[in-house]
Amino acid sequence: MTITQPDLSVFETLESEVRSYCRGWPTVFDRAQGSRMYDEDGHEYLDFFAGAGSLNYGHNNPVLKRALIDYLERDGVTHGLDMSTGAKRSFLQTFQDLVLRPRDLPYKVMFPGPTGTNAVESALKLARKVKGREAIVSFTNAFHGMSLGSLAVTGNAFKRAGAGIPLVHGTPMPFDHYLDGRVPDFLWFERLLEDQGSGLNQPAAVIVETVQGEGGINVARAEWLRGLADLCARRDMLLIVDDIQMGCGRTGAFFSFEEAGIVPDIVTVSKSISGYGLPMSLCLLKPELDVWEPGEHNGTFRGNNPAFVTATAALETYWADGSAMEKQTRARGEQVEQGLISITEENLADVKEYRGRGLVWGLEFHDKERAGRVARRAFDLGLLVETSGPESEVVKLLPALTVTPDELDEGLRTLARAVRETV
């Protein structure tokens, strides 16, 4: 692909230095549909990024777009705070009928601010209010958001350093596989809880991702998650599952914790819950935890009604027929795994490991800088992938759930070429 130099001057002179994704993909994107993005010069890119997991149903999904346009054209309410609207009612009823009831999940739905970190902040605040304690336990390599409370339970040193103040009341514990199986699960955690001299204040809650996306595609075993749920129940700690990136079908089932057979006390959901990339998040909580006073936690943009409209359309389109979407995602995931096996076999000396679930996968190299080079070469070849892990040492694959088998094959071939060409 021959790429002309785009005009990036206004971004470079006016936009803050904090910008990041645009540095890895130095072009000006103009339009997108399905799993394809196009820049201003008409160059085509296969998208294995999907808005960092916000576009599980692809760019400008035609069914969701039609629902959104129809709503706007009839002057449907756009901004509604937490007022009752028809769009919100439709979403709540559909979410209950298609997601909660079929899974026998008892949750009440809270609308915090519209981003993932807003959902996490509300979950942490609620856990502390319910238990009357400040301490929260998180895990090594966790990522839960960029606001101060979420950063306090995030592991990445670079992101934590941006806070500018001490991040307190959070204690990290080893995530699954962190100690390479040399120590029984939760031995250290349980010992600290038992020992009055450990210095660990009794936690209000534990927050966990079933698959750590930003942390490097670290996949927790189902038995590890069940052990954690049991520990929380025995030790009077609430279990919060952060399903912001791994929920909405990313790992196969609608919620990523379903495979483990656990029912968390609180679940945070965002990214693809709107289905269209519109800002929206949920904090799901067991009814007995709903101790909020009216207005005790609020936010101007909780009532993003266009997001309710597309979220409802996404549920009705992709989750009304039971397990069809889940089976398709697992099949597509097996296709990705086979592609990564081939890349690994071709580059045995260079690839450290591949890992993932459903349609989230990571390819780790012994040379920690190799992933960045692979991602840059993939962009040159027309494939959008990002890196993850504490040192950006993992190439992260996050295609839309609606990606076709042919598109997956194309992307995996491009990735294999990028690996070969960055030795």
Side-chain angles (χ1 to χ4, degrees):
M1 178 188 297
T2 301
I3 299 179
T4 58
Q5 291 299 312
D7 181 6
L8 301 174
S9 57
V10 69
F11 308 108
E12 294 170 349
T13 59
L14 191 58
E15 191 177 0
S16 166
E17 293 299 316
V18 78
R19 65 191 188 279
S20 60
Y21 291 117
C22 57
R23 298 178 189 273
W25 301 327
T27 192
V28 180
F29 293 104
D30 179 58
R31 61 189 180 89
Q33 208 287 315
S35 290
R36 307 279 178 176
M37 297 190 74
Y38 304 85
D39 67 17
E40 288 183 322
D41 294 322
H43 297 120
E44 179 181 296
Y45 300 84
L46 182 57
D47 184 5
F48 274 23
F49 174 63
S54 295
L55 296 165
N56 280 3
Y57 313 108
H59 293 271
N60 288 303
N61 182 289
V63 177
L64 311 191
K65 180 167 64 175
R66 185 72 262 160
L68 177 60
I69 290 173
D70 288 347
Y71 183 77
L72 295 176
E73 284 186 338
R74 71 169 184 82
D75 292 330
V77 173
T78 298
H79 181 271
L81 293 162
D82 71 354
M83 292 183 285
S84 298
T85 65
K88 184 199 282 188
R89 179 176 57 201
S90 294
F91 168 73
L92 285 170
Q93 191 65 59
T94 304
F95 189 71
Q96 182 180 48
D97 291 345
L98 299 184
V99 176
L100 298 181
R101 279 181 179 158
R103 293 161 179 80
D104 197 25
L105 294 173
Y107 300 126
K108 294 188 72 174
V109 179
M110 174 184 176
F111 297 101
T115 71
T117 198
N118 294 142
V120 170
E121 294 285 0
S122 66
L124 300 180
K125 182 191 289 189
L126 179 61
R128 287 168 169 143
K129 179 178 174 65
V130 168
K131 292 299 182 183
R133 311 178 203 131
E134 297 175 350
I136 304 288
V137 165
S138 57
F139 291 94
T140 50
N141 290 312
F143 178 79
H144 296 290
M146 297 296 277
S147 51
L148 293 180
S150 301
L151 269 181
V153 291
T154 288
N156 187 284
F158 173 75
K159 292 180 173 65
R160 290 174 63 90
I165 62 170
L167 297 171
V168 297
H169 308 308
T171 301
M173 292 292 166
F175 190 72
D176 195 14
H177 304 301
Y178 187 76
L179 298 174
D180 299 323
R182 292 173 294 178
V183 177
D185 294 342
F186 311 114
L187 177 67
W188 174 242
F189 191 179
E190 189 125 32
R191 181 64 185 271
L192 291 180
L193 290 170
E194 292 171 350
D195 187 357
Q196 294 300 304
S198 71
L200 176 66
N201 293 331
Q202 173 66 20
V206 176
I207 185 167
V208 67
E209 304 154 274
T210 66
V211 181
Q212 295 181 326
E214 297 303 307
I217 318 301
N218 305 312
V219 182
R221 292 167 295 138
E223 54 266 36
W224 187 86
L225 292 168
R226 287 192 290 270
L228 178 61
D230 176 69
L231 176 60
C232 288
R234 287 189 288 106
R235 294 292 181 173
D236 189 31
M237 303 178 293
L238 297 181
L239 176 61
I240 304 169
V241 167
D242 180 340
D243 232 9
I244 288 165
Q245 188 168 82
M246 298 305 155
C248 302
R250 174 55 57 181
T251 64
F254 189 87
F255 294 111
S256 69
F257 56 80
E258 292 182 49
E259 180 182 303
I262 62 174
V263 180
D265 298 292
I266 302 174
V267 182
T268 59
V269 181
S270 187
K271 290 195 181 285
S272 272
I273 187 61
S274 81
Y276 204 75
L278 299 176
M280 179 179 173
S281 74
L282 310 175
C283 182
L284 308 178
L285 50 137
K286 290 183 175 179
E288 63 269 24
L289 304 180
D290 192 15
V291 298
W292 294 114
E293 297 291 334
E296 191 173 9
H297 186 92
N298 56 25
T300 303
F301 295 103
R302 288 171 295 158
N304 187 357
N305 283 259
F308 296 154
V309 170
T310 55
T312 301
L315 294 176
E316 290 174 343
T317 303
Y318 295 102
W319 297 98
D321 56 356
S323 61
M325 191 67 184
E326 179 177 350
K327 290 178 180 176
Q328 176 179 296
T329 297
R330 294 189 190 281
R332 301 284 194 273
E334 291 172 3
Q335 185 179 349
V336 174
E337 184 175 18
Q338 289 304 311
L340 294 181
I341 289 172
S342 296
I343 292 173
T344 300
E345 290 175 345
E346 184 181 341
N347 302 271
L348 279 176
D350 304 312
V351 176
K352 181 178 180 180
E353 187 182 18
Y354 66 87
R355 52 187 179 264
R357 276 180 63 194
L359 275 174
V360 53
W361 289 85
L363 185 65
E364 183 177 0
F365 298 90
H366 292 290
D367 175 1
K368 293 184 182 298
E369 296 181 356
R370 179 82 175 276
R373 297 197 299 271
V374 169
R376 287 190 292 273
R377 182 57 183 151
F379 170 77
D380 293 339
L381 297 171
L383 176 68
L384 302 180
V385 292
E386 68 168 329
T387 60
S388 70
E391 298 178 73
S392 298
E393 72 276 20
V394 178
V395 174
K396 181 180 180 182
L397 307 182
L398 207 69
L401 306 186
T402 53
V403 68
T404 67
D406 287 345
E407 288 170 333
L408 277 182
D409 281 341
E410 177 188 342
L412 291 166
R413 287 195 303 270
T414 303
L415 178 63
R417 180 180 170 187
V419 173
R420 285 194 299 270
E421 295 181 358
T422 54
V423 174

